Amino acid sequence: MLLPTPADLRAALSRYADAVIEDERRSTPETIRQREDTAYTLCVMTGVSDVREALSTADALLGRRAPDTEADRRDHAGAVPV
């Protein structure tokens, strides 16, 4: 399995968090679809089939990898809140 870059993983986590927040705020067919789509993306990126496991895997991947670039070093803050 190819591992996603830390920046790509953080971007996917951010999109998922935004989708969850929006769906919790006012659930519509569009927000539900967006939440499902971003969950699926995280699952594909982490090689698992459950979004909870994908979040855990993403957290572990970000925690064990050293930042790759200066921007990654500035942005790296450990666990990603979702």
Side-chain angles (χ1 to χ4, degrees):
M1 172 177 88
L2 294 175
L3 294 177
T5 66
D8 288 340
L9 198 49
R10 282 194 298 274
L13 286 165
S14 179
R15 284 190 300 273
Y16 177 72
D18 290 343
V20 169
I21 290 167
E22 189 61 28
D23 188 46
E24 294 288 325
R25 189 178 327 186
R26 59 171 186 85
S27 188
T28 66
E30 177 61 28
T31 62
I32 292 168
R33 186 188 61 75
Q34 189 63 29
R35 186 174 184 161
E36 291 170 350
D37 288 351
T38 56
Y40 176 79
T41 298
L42 277 173
C43 288
V44 170
M45 289 178 82
T46 57
V48 299
S49 60
D50 176 74
V51 72
R52 287 182 208 94
E53 190 177 348
L55 293 170
S56 177
T57 300
D59 188 44
L61 286 170
L62 289 172
R64 77 167 185 226
R65 292 171 106 185
D68 297 332
T69 66
E70 183 59 32
D72 285 335
R73 284 189 283 280
R74 277 194 315 270
D75 294 340
H76 192 268
V80 177
V82 264

